């Protein structure tokens, strides 16, 4: 899926370990790097290895957040090391990595006390992130009223979908991902896409030759301030970073351009269009689903249920090889009925039993095959362990 750089020991480690136990591997490498670097203590950054435009473990294209981290480390006079960890575990990622003292900072968290405060403290905001309106150049998209009579692609269970739900004068084209929304535009099935801005910008730049104009939006659940997060004991480091940030403003602005992040005056959506709280599944930082590709994703039930990472990793491989084309890669799926992240929410204590029965016998009438001739019970166990790591909060 992503290029592996054979020159990098870290990447090789990833390939060998098949991404298993990668947190542990990174720590080991981080400490080796520290020894080689001699005196200076490294600035340890936590980042997702596969989350462009934000972060990647490819040295030639590290991403917006990682390059900000590199600039920060330089300003701090420290060498940088990385702790790579997939961010779709959301708050659990933050708990395991940042709060688990695997790293010193995590870039791109929503600057909000609601996001794991007071355990996590924040720098000042360095960027605004949010949903954006994407349309062919030349079309006026100055506000929600310009969407009247248009076909607007919105992602299932996202804030934009909820915002437009009550507008009968706007035709919604529901899609499952920002990629699909861009395709809908490209194929003439939609006039406008109302999707997560950074991903829209990135796709526009890398896949669509900069063909579209992208207008940021702001409003409740539509945009938030991105900041750098630290564990609560790290106030000294946080204060130093806050001192450095103003000098990095130009660098950060250049990086935003480099990674195609949308800029310019945002379109404001009044609260009049907002749906009542409680009906918005993807509202705001931390509460969202698959549409939020940065570290703010879904949260698991809690660490008490965190399974053995190695087994879960093996289960994930099987899952992505066999189950993902119906249930979504890494079980990220916006169609509720087949969203396996909702198993606990749906079945509670009967979750394991339901899983077991369903994978063994299938539900042929509903399109779920039986797998009992295909996998061993150990393999089912590992798939189950993987699914445990992606369960949504029960009140989703
Ligand atoms: C060909 C498509 C397809 C594949 C491949 C597939 N599933 Fe399913 N699966 C479904 C559908 C459709 C349902 C929903 C059935 C229903 O609505 O009752 C489902 C339901 C389930 C459920 C129950 C969900 C619930 O909430 O009731 C589990 C658990 C499950 N699948 C696990 C798996 C696993 C594990 C694999 C891989 C080994 C897999 N599925 C592969 C289509 C598929």
């Amino acid at each position: 899926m992503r290029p592996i750089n054979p020159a990098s020991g870290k990447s090789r480690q990833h390939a060998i370990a098949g991404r298993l136990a990668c947190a542990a591997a990174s720590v080991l490498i981080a400490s080796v790097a520290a020894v080689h670097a001699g005196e200076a203590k490294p600035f340890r950054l936590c980042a997702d290895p596969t989350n462009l435009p934000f972060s990647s473990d490819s040295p030639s294209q590290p991403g917006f957040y990682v390059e900000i981290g590199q600039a920060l480390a330089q300003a701090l006079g420290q060498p940088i090391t990385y702790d790579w960890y997939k961010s779709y575990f959301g708050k659990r990622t933050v708990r395991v990595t940042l709060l688990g003292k695997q790293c010193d900072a995590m870039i791109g968290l929503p600057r909000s006390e609601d996001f794991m405060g007071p355990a996590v403290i924040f720098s000042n905001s360095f960027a605004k992130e949010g949903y954006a309106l994407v349309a062919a150049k030349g079309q006026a998209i100055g506000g929600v009223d310009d969407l009247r009579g248009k076909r607007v692609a919105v992602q299932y269970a996202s804030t934009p979908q909820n915002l437009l739900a009550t507008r009968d004068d706007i035709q919604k084209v529901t899609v499952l991902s920002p990629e699909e929304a861009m395709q809908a535009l490209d194929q003439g099935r939609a006039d406008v896409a109302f999707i997560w801005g950074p991903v829209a910008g990135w796709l526009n730049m890398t896949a669509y030759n900069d063909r579209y104009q992208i207008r940021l939006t702001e409003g409740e659940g539509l945009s938030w301030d991105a900041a750098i997060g630290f564990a609560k004991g790290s106030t000294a480091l946080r204060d130093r970073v806050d001192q450095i940030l103003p000098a990095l403003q130009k660098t950060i602005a250049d990086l935003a351009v480099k990674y195609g992040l949308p800029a310019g005056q945002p379109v404001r959506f009044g609260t009049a269009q907002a749906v009542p709280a409680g009906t918005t599944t993807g509202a705001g930082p931390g509460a969202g689903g698959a549409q939020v590709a940065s570290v703010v994703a879904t949260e698991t039930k809690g660490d008490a249920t965190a399974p053995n990472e190695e087994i879960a990793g093996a289960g994930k491989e099987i899952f992505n090889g066999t189950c993902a084309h119906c249930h979504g890669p890494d079980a990220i799926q916006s169609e509720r009925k087949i969203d396996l992240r909702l198993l606990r929410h749906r079945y509670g204590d009967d979750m394991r039993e339901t899983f077991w029965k369903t994978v063994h016998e299938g539900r042929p009438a509903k399109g779920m095959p039986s797998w009992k001739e295909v996998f061993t019970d150990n393999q089912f166990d590992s798939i189950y362990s993987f699914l445990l790591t992606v369960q949504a909060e029960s009140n989703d």
Side-chain angles (χ1 to χ4, degrees):
M1 197 171 103
R2 70 200 144 86
I4 289 180
N5 178 0
S8 144
K10 167 126 214 359
S11 298
R12 230 180 304 129
Q13 187 85 21
H14 265 252
I16 293 162
R19 295 188 192 171
L20 303 181
C22 81
S26 307
V27 171
L28 188 69
I29 285 153
S31 44
V32 170
V35 169
H36 287 320
E39 342 62 53
K41 196 164 139 283
F43 175 65
R44 300 170 309 155
L45 185 71
C46 275
D48 187 323
T50 57
N51 191 25
L52 284 171
F54 292 120
S55 60
S56 126
D57 61 359
S58 152
S60 61
Q61 197 167 53
F64 184 52
Y65 293 162
V66 171
E67 291 208 42
I68 291 175
Q70 291 168 349
L72 263 179
Q74 198 177 24
L76 288 164
Q78 292 171 264
I80 190 166
T81 59
Y82 306 97
D83 184 42
W84 301 113
Y85 205 97
K86 293 282 208 159
S87 60
Y88 50 66
F89 291 120
K91 292 179 182 173
R92 183 171 165 244
T93 298
V94 178
R95 225 177 275 131
V96 170
T97 58
L98 189 64
L99 302 184
K101 305 250 168 2
Q102 309 287 310
C103 59
D104 304 311
M106 198 175 226
I107 299 181
L109 298 183
R111 193 174 196 286
S112 151
E113 294 309 318
D114 294 346
F115 187 80
M116 307 187 70
V120 176
I121 57 172
F122 301 98
S123 71
N124 291 322
S125 167
F126 64 85
K128 200 139 196 112
E129 287 171 11
Y131 288 92
L133 296 164
V134 187
K137 285 187 175 154
Q139 263 194 58
I141 39 169
V144 71
D145 286 331
D146 291 333
L147 301 178
R148 220 181 274 149
K150 299 232 160 77
R151 297 165 303 165
V152 181
V154 288
Q155 192 175 339
Y156 184 79
S158 68
T159 305
Q161 187 191 36
N162 288 328
L163 266 176
L164 301 185
T166 54
R167 296 284 302 235
D168 294 332
D169 53 346
I170 298 169
Q171 193 185 328
K172 273 77 68 184
V173 178
T174 305
V175 295
L176 296 178
S177 65
E179 286 80 1
E180 203 186 320
M182 295 297 284
Q183 278 163 21
L185 272 186
D186 187 46
Q187 296 162 359
R189 286 182 285 118
D191 307 305
V192 179
F194 192 176
I195 53 178
W196 203 47
V199 175
W202 175 249
L203 292 173
N204 189 36
M205 187 176 84
T206 56
Y208 293 97
N209 225 344
D210 204 25
R211 199 181 317 153
Y212 299 103
Q213 55 163 329
I214 302 180
R215 190 83 199 261
L216 275 173
T217 67
E218 64 180 6
E220 178 106 37
L222 285 174
S223 61
W224 54 89
D225 292 318
I228 303 166
F230 308 86
K232 74 166 182 290
S234 308
T235 44
L237 177 60
R238 193 269 311 271
D239 293 347
R240 282 181 71 200
V241 166
D242 270 343
Q243 275 171 1
I244 292 169
L245 272 179
L248 293 185
Q249 231 167 28
K250 168 89 171 69
T251 307
I252 292 173
D254 291 346
L255 288 171
V257 172
K258 173 176 174 184
Y259 286 101
L261 304 195
Q265 195 55 30
V267 180
R268 172 123 210 126
F269 278 75
T271 43
Q273 281 104 23
V275 289
T279 58
T280 310
T281 30
Q291 81 275 14
V292 181
S294 78
V295 77
V296 192
T298 52
E299 192 188 10
T300 53
K301 251 282 187 173
D303 289 339
T305 56
N308 180 310
E309 292 221 320
E310 210 157 78
I311 293 175
K316 184 163 129 186
E317 303 265 276
I318 301 175
F319 188 92
N320 281 337
T322 305
C323 322
H325 68 267
C326 293
H327 292 289
D330 295 332
I332 296 170
Q333 167 62 264
S334 345
E335 200 180 329
R336 268 185 95 83
K337 252 180 67 177
I338 49 171
D339 184 348
L340 299 183
R341 294 172 301 180
L342 299 176
L343 283 177
R344 186 192 306 284
H345 168 71
R346 201 166 279 148
Y347 300 112
D349 290 342
D350 295 325
M351 172 182 171
R352 191 187 161 81
E353 213 196 314
T354 307
F355 167 85
W356 209 250
K357 187 165 188 290
T358 310
V359 294
H360 272 245
E361 298 170 17
R363 290 183 199 155
K366 301 265 178 65
M368 165 69 182
S370 154
W371 301 98
K372 67 169 181 289
E373 310 295 343
V374 182
F375 296 115
T376 64
D377 283 356
N378 275 343
Q379 287 174 312
F380 286 133
D381 263 332
S382 64
I383 298 173
Y384 186 77
S385 293
F386 159 63
L387 288 174
L388 279 182
T389 66
V390 298
Q391 291 308 298
E393 287 278 64
S394 55
N395 61 5
D396 70 317

